[in-house]
Amino acid sequence: EAQVTQNPRYLITVTGKKLTVTCSQNMNHEYMSWYRQDPGLGLRQIYYSMNVEVTDKGDVPEGYKVSRKEKRNFPLILESPSPNQTSLYFCASSLKSGAVNTEAFFGQGTRLTVV
Amino acid sequence: AQSVTQLDSQVPVFEEAPVELRCNYSSSVSVYLFWYVQYPNQGLQLLLKYLSGSTLVKGINGFEAEFNKSQTSFHLRKPSVHISDTAEYFCAVRSGYSTLTFGKGTMLLVSP
């Protein structure tokens, strides 16, 4: 089954404790991205990757890091989480950014709480 | 730059009534338009998309949307809603080789 898998689904952590949220897709998609969803703000892009070893900042990259060493994986790293990073995070993948029939496939989400 | 405006943050409606969720976009070039649905505690699922061709696009679960270039709109409609349609709906736009930009979402609340 074609899917985007995020782990964990739920995470509560303390300020300053490094964490990683994993994302994996099995569709051989080139393009992957991370979004955060906050009430009243919709989805805002954090980082995206056009292909292996190619990443770029989205609209709200501060406090986050990503890496793309393999095509299927795109982990999101919070080196020193703060309470304002409490949010619902989604990973998404698509065939490639410029393809006209590209639709984004989303993971189930990771609800992160930083206390 | 591209942007999406969903004018209504919540739309309450009774079961079996028609509904329209509004979406307006801005972009200086040709656009591709999408509607996604998010059921409680789930990820986003594609409802429908406009890439080119017919301006009336049909999607899953009986939804349809009409692309209106002159009004820069892509409103989502359903003639008769069900309780199970209760969810948050997101309009999104992509132009050229840019990334996907989402609106802030509209919560559709269907009551009996």
Side-chain angles (χ1 to χ4, degrees):
Chain A
E1 180 190 353
Q3 59 186 3
V4 178
T5 304
Q6 292 178 230
N7 279 297
R9 292 288 311 278
Y10 301 91
L11 179 59
I12 300 174
T13 190
V14 296
T15 299
K17 185 177 181 181
K18 180 180 178 179
L19 66 91
T20 299
V21 183
T22 65
C23 173
S24 180
Q25 50 93 5
N26 62 1
M27 295 168 279
N28 202 35
H29 285 168
E30 290 93 345
Y31 186 87
M32 297 185 74
S33 57
W34 276 101
Y35 294 85
R36 60 178 289 174
Q37 182 182 12
D38 301 289
L41 297 178
L43 281 85
R44 295 176 293 167
Q45 192 177 57
I46 303 171
Y47 267 94
Y48 64 95
S49 170
M50 306 271 284
N51 214 324
V52 176
E53 301 291 1
V54 181
T55 63
D56 209 345
K57 296 177 180 178
D59 299 318
V60 288
E62 293 77 20
Y64 304 95
K65 283 176 58 177
V66 292
S67 70
R68 187 89 181 276
K69 298 189 188 312
E70 306 167 281
K71 199 172 188 179
R72 63 181 294 127
N73 296 322
F74 190 46
L76 179 69
I77 303 156
L78 284 73
E79 294 270 3
S80 182
S82 61
N84 64 13
Q85 292 178 297
T86 292
S87 187
L88 179 58
Y89 291 86
F90 286 102
C91 179
S93 75
S94 54
L95 195 57
K96 57 182 174 180
S97 179
V100 295
N101 59 353
T102 294
E103 70 174 85
F105 292 82
F106 283 82
Q108 292 290 87
T110 296
R111 187 167 293 281
L112 172 66
T113 302
V114 184
V115 299
Chain B
Q2 60 192 25
S3 66
V4 178
T5 303
Q6 291 182 248
L7 293 165
D8 306 301
S9 59
Q10 277 194 18
V11 173
V13 65
F14 289 109
E15 195 173 19
E16 297 184 7
V19 70
E20 177 180 85
L21 305 184
R22 297 180 293 170
C23 172
N24 288 90
Y25 68 91
S26 69
S27 174
S28 58
V29 296
S30 297
V31 295
Y32 309 116
L33 294 155
F34 306 81
W35 275 100
Y36 283 85
V37 60
Q38 184 181 29
Y39 297 106
N41 299 314
Q42 293 190 26
L44 277 75
Q45 178 184 357
L46 183 70
L47 263 182
L48 49 79
K49 61 186 175 186
Y50 170 79
L51 304 176
S52 64
S54 173
T55 56
L56 184 62
V57 180
K58 294 192 184 297
I60 61 171
N61 301 338
F63 284 93
E64 63 180 32
E66 185 157 18
F67 170 58
N68 188 319
K69 188 174 182 179
S70 61
Q71 296 186 5
T72 60
S73 67
F74 191 54
H75 301 331
L76 181 70
R77 302 186 183 100
K78 187 170 182 178
S80 176
V81 295
H82 302 289
I83 296 284
S84 59
D85 291 324
T86 293
E88 189 152 24
Y89 293 79
F90 292 94
C91 182
V93 63
R94 204 182 81 242
S95 54
Y97 292 90
S98 71
T99 58
L100 205 54
T101 299
F102 286 87
K104 294 183 178 181
T106 297
M107 186 69 204
L108 177 63
L109 300 165
V110 183
S111 53

